[in-house]
Amino acid sequence: MRTAMFLAMFCCFNLQYGQQDTAIMGRVQEKGTNVPIHNAIISAEALSQEIFTNEDGSFEFEIHYSGDVLLSISAPDFITKRFSIYLSGETIDLGKILLERDIEREKTDNLITLTDGDLLDDGESVSGALGLLQSTKDIFLNRAAFDFGQAFFKVRGYDSQNGSVLVNGIPMNKFFDGRPQWNNWGGLNDVVRNQEYTYGLTENTYAFGGVLGTTNIDTSPSGMRSGIRLSSSASNRTYRGRLMATYNSGLGKKGLAYTFSASRRWAKEGFVEGTLYDAYSFFGSLEYQFNPRNSIILTSILARNRRGRSSALTEEAFQLMGNQYNPYWGIQDGRIRNSRERDIFEPLFLLNYKLNLESLDWNLGVAYQFGSNARSRLGYFNAPNPDPTYYRYLPSYYINSSIGADFINANLAKEALLDNPQMDWNQLYIANTNPNTNGKAAYVLYNDVASDAQMTFSTSLDYHLNEMINLGLGGNYRKLSSDNYAKIQDLLGAEFHEDIDAFSNTLNDANGSLQKMEDDIFNYHYNLDASQFEAYGQALVSTKKWSGFASASMTGFSVQRNGLFTNERFLDSSFGPSEKVAFTTVGLKGGLTYFFTGRHWFTANGAKIERVPTLQNTFINPRENNAVVPDLQKETITTLDLNYFIRLPDVTGRISAFYTRFQNRTDINFFFVDSGLGSDFVQEVITGLDQLHKGIEFGLEYEASSNVKITAVGNFGHYVYASDPYVQINFDTAGAEEELIAQEGTIDLGIAKLKDLKLSQGPQTALALGVEYRAPKYWWVGATANYLTNNYINISTITRTPSFLLDPDTGEPFPDATDENVDALLKQQPLDDIYLLNLIGGKSWLWGKKYISAFVSINNLFDSVFRTGGYEQSRNGNFGQLQQDNLSGTPSFAPKYWYSYGRTYFLNLAISF
């Protein structure tokens, strides 16, 4: 009886709800040519309802609502139009709607996407999520990507591993660090513009998603604009020039469509000295539609990116050499040669099947990716360090001498750096060809290589049950085989390299050849075999005043190391398989939306998500042994956000408050330390690490007239460590017993006092005010003033442990290591406040059927130089040594910083026909 009553009420409610329908009709065409725009998106912004235009640009949209709403008409490469309409149940015919081409699309080419390794120095990395945001129309996120991004701003302080990236519904985040590798499709802007981005916890058809959001890149040729597009760019940032060509056939009568695209980017050196850029990319996609509801798509992406890397600098090196200085390169045979390059080539092949019915959408995909990610570096063995900024070569080494300041040698060191600031390749060859070495290399240029092969299966289904309820489910399975090794690239004139650890005089490959030649694998060699499955389901319910969703996911993960070298320092644990590490995690999220009117609404979202550790934080030192992080835990993320949206004819925007807590994080660092317990190369394992991210963000846009827009954007964040984590150091025990920190090879350092210290997640406060003028004759200019502050560098954890207080000579605490003195020595200092003025502008012409556009941007107009990030060095791991090093005001092991580019430009010319 109760069931029958419920069904009756449900049907009645549906009937009443259905009576609110209003039909809206229209035709969307390109302004100037009157060409129909296929697949333009027609949406009621507050109601989560949208449809696409037909091939002739027409649409008929039934909206289940009565009252004021803002209707949005958008399409890739066109300026969005909005109409304020009143829904009363009577049919509304908007007639012909003309959309103007948006040359501001070129901003995505101008976007500097920072990925792990773009800025890298001895394991320290800056990883942003700018690439995730390039397709969003949100005012705040757009400003975060294109203006704040040059100061390494991170939305809500999140790392990019918190955003999910998919291509045709297939996940692309890497097993190693959880981050997407944007270089895998870099330079293919024309064919990866068709993106769907959902921010934060918002439900997504293709994935459960991360707390930062989800981006799905659609490479379907039928969804791209037909014709040819040619473009050329010039810049002084990472690359100097770029050429790109794209052809799309359009959908033929037999249901066939195909797209080809190619690009070339290059620079002898970018803004930073010695940073070459050499990249080429190719794209091909073929789509066959059996009928309007069934299609199959084959996509191939081949993108190779080779670039020179740059180093973080101490303040001392910066004051001497400036923000463009890079010690990693030198001149050889009249050409620039960088000792640290990154070469990525990981071809990607995808096959998708799509079924689109009236009430059901199903996507099935399989992807195969293989290739390598290589990072070169210069190894030196019983020879001087070739880095011109090595601490023993700088003036501070003599100023901070334990026997007193030596100003004469300090000045000589300064002059030597100014006269010879770069790496001397000729000296390396001279050292390697010295007759006394008998052909053995003192210096070797080698690559750290990760050679991966990964297969991925993915599926997603979206079912429209009725006008109120949408259901979705999906899943994916990924299997990775990762071969990791060091490979000799150049013996630099020597005959062979002796594969022995120079510090302990032990064999790296006990069962292999002692002498290694060019192209030989040496030092370390191991495989990582990982697999993961994920399944998720979600439900979305919508009524006139309310909508809500709930989503759940389950993930199973396993990984195992297999050592291929027997390392003499770890005879029992380096060769063969490790234990298998496995986790099962669950995730829950949900949200509610309340519509005050069609122009004002409020949302609240929350989630509790478990996340498996990344590969880089699972094994303590995988290059040498099978050891796993003790008591390794899955990470837990608890998050909540509240959002208010406004969509008026003249004012649009959003204000949000957010709270996120990351718990049980793990971090592993590698460095040489003079600790209170002794000195050694160590692996620092940090567990039980919690982080708190909370704050308010807003973005508002005011249309002062049909030609002028004014935007105001801001972020007030508070990102801190939320726990005192547990710290352990690990090291080999191959040296003399009296030189070991401990015979066990590991020491528990106890708790590190990190709670309430600031996180190094970019500026925590950011404000921007922008104005844009768009003329009726197809030209526009814009300016944005930006202010960013509350930025901090990454801290040294070991200096916050009890061992820091100990005198390594006596084993007792330093007498003057009082709380006041320690706090003063370790006080966290904010980085510089940042003021930026950015200008953009463009012009377009319609010449017959040819569309020509020009775009230019100038960032950091006043050429200000500021520190964008950095990290504390951990060498001085005891109070006495750190205090002594800081007495002069120019410590030898001062923090290292990354510096801004200064004034930069980007110019793009394009023609489409």
Side-chain angles (χ1 to χ4, degrees):
M1 183 64 182
R2 291 180 178 177
T3 303
M5 291 179 64
F6 172 79
L7 291 174
M9 292 176 64
F10 184 81
C11 292
C12 288
F13 185 80
N14 265 341
L15 180 61
Q16 182 182 8
Y17 185 81
Q19 291 174 347
Q20 309 300 320
D21 291 2
T22 298
I24 305 173
M25 298 182 298
R27 299 180 309 282
V28 182
Q29 298 176 352
E30 179 181 348
K31 185 177 180 179
T33 65
N34 292 327
V35 174
I37 300 177
H38 176 43
N39 278 339
I41 302 172
I42 317 298
S43 65
E45 294 194 352
L47 305 178
S48 301
Q49 294 178 247
E50 65 179 33
I51 63 166
F52 297 89
T53 56
N54 301 318
E55 291 187 15
D56 61 357
S58 65
F59 67 91
E60 185 171 342
F61 192 12
E62 289 190 355
I63 299 182
H64 317 297
Y65 185 80
S66 62
D68 287 323
V69 297
L70 204 62
L71 192 72
S72 171
I73 294 92
S74 62
D77 307 336
F78 290 90
I79 299 172
T80 299
K81 269 197 173 182
R82 293 185 173 92
F83 295 90
S84 178
I85 57 178
Y86 183 81
L87 306 181
S88 61
E90 297 182 4
T91 299
I92 299 174
D93 189 350
L94 296 175
K96 184 164 63 175
I97 303 166
L98 299 178
L99 294 188
E100 181 182 340
R101 286 274 194 128
D102 186 7
I103 62 172
E104 202 170 352
R105 59 174 273 177
E106 310 301 346
K107 286 203 305 185
T108 60
D109 298 343
N110 180 35
L111 180 63
I112 303 171
T113 304
L114 297 171
T115 58
D116 174 34
D118 286 349
L119 296 169
L120 185 85
D121 185 89
D122 295 332
E124 295 291 336
S125 65
V126 176
S127 61
L130 306 186
L132 287 166
L133 312 178
Q134 58 184 290
S135 64
T136 178
K137 299 294 185 181
D138 183 273
I139 301 163
F140 170 80
L141 298 178
N142 192 273
R143 190 68 68 219
F146 296 103
D147 287 282
F148 297 162
Q150 40 190 313
F152 299 155
F153 175 82
K154 296 183 181 181
V155 174
R156 299 186 178 181
Y158 295 159
D159 185 275
S160 61
Q161 73 176 119
N162 293 293
S164 298
V165 175
L166 307 98
V167 176
N168 294 342
I170 300 174
M172 290 290 122
N173 294 59
K174 296 291 187 180
F175 271 105
F176 177 71
D177 56 12
R179 298 166 181 156
Q181 178 54 263
W182 291 93
N183 287 307
N184 288 160
W185 48 85
L188 296 170
N189 307 63
D190 285 347
V191 291
V192 298
R193 293 185 196 277
N194 192 6
Q195 299 181 15
E196 178 185 345
Y197 176 67
T198 53
Y199 183 41
L201 299 176
T202 306
E203 76 280 357
N204 186 279
T205 303
Y206 303 101
F208 180 78
V211 296
L212 182 57
T214 303
T215 292
N216 181 58
I217 301 171
D218 186 353
T219 65
S220 305
S222 62
M224 301 181 193
R225 186 173 183 82
S226 62
I228 297 174
R229 185 175 190 270
L230 306 173
S231 65
S232 177
S233 305
S235 178
N236 66 338
R237 297 174 186 172
T238 53
Y239 58 78
R240 296 286 180 170
R242 189 201 67 184
L243 295 173
M244 185 162 57
T246 302
Y247 172 73
N248 182 267
S249 68
L251 187 62
K253 294 181 179 180
K254 294 183 178 181
L256 191 67
Y258 54 90
T259 302
F260 297 104
S261 185
S263 79
R264 178 82 171 88
R265 293 167 291 162
W266 69 91
K268 183 178 179 181
E269 58 181 347
F271 186 89
V272 178
E273 298 171 353
T275 53
L276 69 93
Y277 200 103
D278 181 20
Y280 59 83
S281 305
F282 300 98
F283 172 94
S285 187
L286 177 67
E287 179 178 2
Y288 179 66
Q289 292 189 0
F290 302 97
N291 53 53
R293 297 180 177 180
N294 293 268
S295 62
I296 190 168
I297 305 162
L298 177 64
T299 302
S300 61
I301 302 174
L302 294 86
R304 183 165 189 170
N305 186 298
R306 173 175 165 251
R307 61 189 304 178
R309 292 153 61 199
S310 59
S311 172
L313 302 173
T314 61
E315 180 70 16
E316 178 184 18
F318 164 74
Q319 290 296 336
L320 289 172
M321 305 304 303
N323 64 317
Q324 293 179 275
Y325 176 62
N326 178 19
Y328 288 159
W329 68 277
I331 297 294
Q332 182 181 356
D333 297 330
R335 302 183 65 180
I336 292 174
R337 188 178 187 183
N338 193 318
S339 65
R340 297 205 181 188
E341 294 183 0
R342 186 174 185 182
D343 193 342
I344 301 174
F345 184 51
E346 297 176 316
L348 175 63
F349 300 92
L350 308 99
L351 179 64
N352 289 85
Y353 168 74
K354 292 184 177 181
L355 174 65
N356 302 111
L357 303 178
E358 185 175 349
S359 59
L360 184 144
D361 294 312
W362 181 39
N363 180 46
L364 181 65
V366 58
Y368 179 67
Q369 186 174 27
F370 65 95
S372 63
N373 186 332
R375 304 181 187 186
S376 69
R377 63 185 302 137
L378 197 60
Y380 53 98
F381 307 90
N382 296 315
N385 191 325
D387 184 348
T389 59
Y390 181 55
Y391 79 99
R392 288 178 178 268
Y393 306 154
L394 295 178
S396 58
Y397 175 73
Y398 300 97
I399 299 295
N400 298 325
S401 172
S402 58
I403 60 174
D406 183 351
F407 293 102
I408 295 176
N409 279 316
N411 190 61
L412 290 174
K414 174 183 176 181
E415 295 300 324
L417 180 63
L418 292 174
D419 292 340
N420 300 285
Q422 303 309 141
M423 186 171 291
D424 192 337
W425 288 99
N426 290 332
Q427 285 299 318
L428 305 185
Y429 279 85
I430 291 171
N432 274 3
T433 55
N434 188 326
N436 296 327
T437 63
N438 297 316
K440 185 173 72 172
Y443 297 96
V444 171
L445 185 67
Y446 67 93
N447 286 310
D448 289 312
V449 181
S451 181
D452 293 352
Q454 180 174 310
M455 181 69 75
T456 305
F457 301 91
S458 179
T459 185
S460 62
L461 185 146
D462 187 52
Y463 179 54
H464 184 66
L465 182 62
N466 56 41
E467 294 176 351
M468 292 179 58
I469 301 174
N470 247 63
L471 301 176
L473 58 89
N476 60 76
Y477 174 78
R478 298 186 290 160
K479 186 171 180 60
L480 168 73
S481 178
S482 179
D483 195 19
N484 298 265
Y485 52 86
K487 187 175 184 178
I488 297 176
Q489 181 186 137
D490 192 343
L491 286 171
L492 304 175
E495 297 177 13
F496 64 90
H497 168 65
E498 203 170 72
D499 197 9
I500 294 178
D501 179 70
F503 297 95
S504 61
N505 201 35
T506 55
L507 298 172
N508 295 319
D509 182 14
N511 295 330
S513 172
L514 176 62
Q515 295 184 359
K516 306 287 186 177
M517 309 301 177
E518 286 186 5
D519 293 327
D520 281 353
I521 294 175
F522 81 113
N523 198 14
Y524 66 91
H525 191 190
Y526 66 95
N527 288 335
L528 290 175
D529 293 312
S531 63
Q532 178 175 299
F533 79 85
E534 179 188 21
Y536 67 93
Q538 59 189 17
L540 174 66
V541 179
S542 301
T543 70
K544 179 179 178 179
K545 282 289 187 179
W546 292 89
S547 71
F549 78 94
S551 183
S553 73
M554 184 176 72
T555 302
F557 166 83
S558 69
V559 63
Q560 186 174 37
R561 177 190 184 271
N562 185 31
L564 302 178
F565 274 9
T566 298
N567 189 303
E568 194 175 5
R569 297 179 296 284
F570 300 94
L571 288 172
D572 298 329
S573 60
S574 56
F575 187 79
S578 70
E579 64 174 290
K580 183 173 285 189
V581 179
F583 287 95
T584 300
T585 64
V586 297
L588 299 171
K589 69 176 184 178
L592 288 173
T593 300
Y594 178 71
F595 304 104
F596 300 103
T597 68
R599 296 178 177 178
H600 303 264
W601 67 96
F602 171 83
T603 69
N605 304 295
K608 184 87 168 182
I609 302 170
E610 295 176 334
R611 185 164 63 186
V612 299
T614 59
L615 298 189
Q616 70 173 350
N617 289 324
T618 297
F619 296 96
I620 296 174
N621 187 12
R623 293 184 175 182
E624 296 190 345
N625 60 64
N626 286 330
V628 176
V629 171
D631 193 28
L632 184 63
Q633 300 289 313
K634 51 193 173 185
E635 186 178 332
T636 302
I637 306 171
T638 306
T639 183
L640 173 71
D641 65 61
L642 306 175
N643 311 275
Y644 168 69
F645 295 84
I646 182 171
R647 294 290 188 272
L648 300 177
D650 296 334
V651 179
T652 62
R654 169 178 64 88
I655 182 168
S656 301
F658 59 91
Y659 173 97
T660 304
R661 190 181 185 97
F662 299 88
Q663 294 175 281
N664 294 325
R665 303 203 70 181
T666 301
D667 192 24
I668 301 176
N669 302 297
F670 302 82
F671 50 84
F672 185 90
V673 63
D674 296 319
S675 74
L677 301 173
S679 302
D680 208 337
F681 285 98
V682 302
Q683 300 91 50
E684 177 189 61
V685 180
I686 307 169
T687 55
L689 181 65
D690 293 359
Q691 296 176 194
L692 176 63
H693 300 239
K694 62 181 180 180
I696 295 173
E697 63 189 24
F698 68 88
L700 296 171
E701 180 180 272
Y702 171 59
E703 192 168 337
S705 70
S706 59
N707 304 112
V708 179
K709 289 182 181 179
I710 299 172
T711 58
V713 164
N715 180 85
F716 300 95
H718 179 72
Y719 318 138
V720 296
Y721 292 98
S723 71
D724 290 328
Y726 187 77
V727 181
Q728 178 190 83
I729 56 172
N730 298 264
F731 39 87
D732 68 67
T733 57
E737 184 174 329
E738 63 273 10
E739 296 177 356
L740 299 177
I741 297 179
Q743 296 184 28
E744 299 79 13
T746 182
I747 292 181
D748 295 331
L749 299 183
I751 298 299
K753 294 183 178 180
L754 302 187
K755 189 174 183 180
D756 295 327
L757 292 177
K758 301 286 188 177
L759 290 169
S760 176
Q761 296 295 104
Q764 302 191 16
T765 299
L767 297 168
L769 182 65
V771 61
E772 177 185 305
Y773 174 77
R774 188 176 295 270
K777 295 187 177 181
Y778 304 103
W779 63 267
W780 62 276
V781 292
T784 308
N786 306 273
Y787 170 68
L788 303 100
T789 187
N790 292 334
N791 192 8
Y792 295 83
I793 64 173
N794 201 18
I795 62 172
S796 167
T797 303
I798 199 170
T799 60
R800 271 81 178 177
T801 65
S803 67
F804 178 72
L805 306 178
L806 300 180
D807 186 335
D809 295 329
T810 66
E812 299 294 327
F814 287 97
D816 53 347
T818 62
D819 290 344
E820 293 78 11
N821 288 341
V822 172
D823 290 345
L825 193 60
L826 299 179
K827 184 178 180 181
Q828 212 176 3
Q829 298 290 341
L831 293 175
D832 324 295
D833 291 349
I834 300 170
Y835 301 88
L836 294 171
L837 180 63
N838 301 327
L839 304 179
I840 56 174
K843 177 78 170 77
S844 63
W845 300 264
L846 191 60
W847 184 28
K849 293 185 178 181
K850 296 180 177 64
Y851 179 82
I852 303 171
S853 65
F855 172 87
V856 64
S857 73
I858 301 175
N859 282 3
N860 193 4
L861 180 66
F862 297 125
D863 198 26
S864 61
V865 176
F866 50 87
R867 295 173 295 179
T868 57
Y871 59 94
E872 295 177 354
Q873 298 193 72
S874 294
R875 174 65 178 265
N876 292 323
N878 67 77
F879 173 83
Q881 190 164 306
L882 183 60
Q883 185 184 51
Q884 176 67 33
D885 197 28
N886 278 272
L887 289 178
S888 69
T890 308
S892 297
F893 296 99
K896 287 192 171 184
Y897 304 101
W898 286 285
Y899 289 86
S900 63
Y901 274 175
R903 185 188 301 112
T904 59
Y905 68 87
F906 177 83
L907 172 66
N908 189 81
L909 299 174
I911 180 170
S912 302
F913 52 91

